Amino acid sequence: MDTKGIDNLLSQLRSTAGTAAARSVDNAAASAGGADFAQVLKNSIDQVNSAQQQAQSMTQDFSAGDPNTNLHEVMIALQKANVSFQEMVQVRNKLVSAYQDVMNIQV
């Protein structure tokens, strides 16, 4: 059994977990300093877009028969893009809900 792919996946998951932990620390520090909301939102949307473009590129490479592109890497990239998009949709829904709540406040 080839464990190279599994080891690669585990190392990617560990690096992603480390990045997520670093982001939570950075976000806490940025909130204390007063980060620009629009810039944070734009950066998040750009990251989602980048993940989707990377997944699309990998899909096209795999479909074209590129020997350097593995199916499991393509599937992982597609799932990452899907999860990040779903997260962005949920954030948008929360923002719209908060906006509607503020607009419904009686003055």
Side-chain angles (χ1 to χ4, degrees):
M1 182 172 166
D2 182 25
T3 61
K4 183 179 179 183
I6 295 172
D7 291 337
N8 186 18
L9 176 62
L10 285 173
S11 68
Q12 287 178 353
L13 289 173
R14 287 184 184 119
S15 68
T16 303
T19 302
R23 280 189 189 165
S24 65
V25 171
D26 289 343
N27 288 343
S31 65
D36 184 23
F37 178 76
Q39 187 63 35
V40 170
L41 187 61
K42 182 182 181 316
N43 289 343
S44 298
I45 292 171
D46 289 343
Q47 288 176 349
V48 170
N49 186 37
S50 174
Q52 288 182 333
Q53 288 177 346
Q54 179 187 11
Q56 181 181 13
S57 173
M58 289 178 74
T59 302
Q60 289 173 346
D61 290 345
F62 184 77
S63 296
D66 184 7
N68 296 328
T69 306
N70 297 326
L71 177 61
H72 67 276
E73 291 174 355
V74 173
M75 295 304 294
I76 290 170
L78 286 170
Q79 286 301 314
K80 283 181 182 179
N82 184 32
V83 168
S84 63
F85 182 75
Q86 292 299 320
E87 179 183 19
M88 183 182 71
V89 168
Q90 292 300 320
V91 168
R92 185 215 48 192
N93 291 344
K94 291 288 185 179
L95 288 172
V96 169
S97 175
Y99 175 78
Q100 289 174 344
D101 289 345
V102 168
M103 287 292 136
N104 288 333
I105 294 175
Q106 296 292 328
V107 180

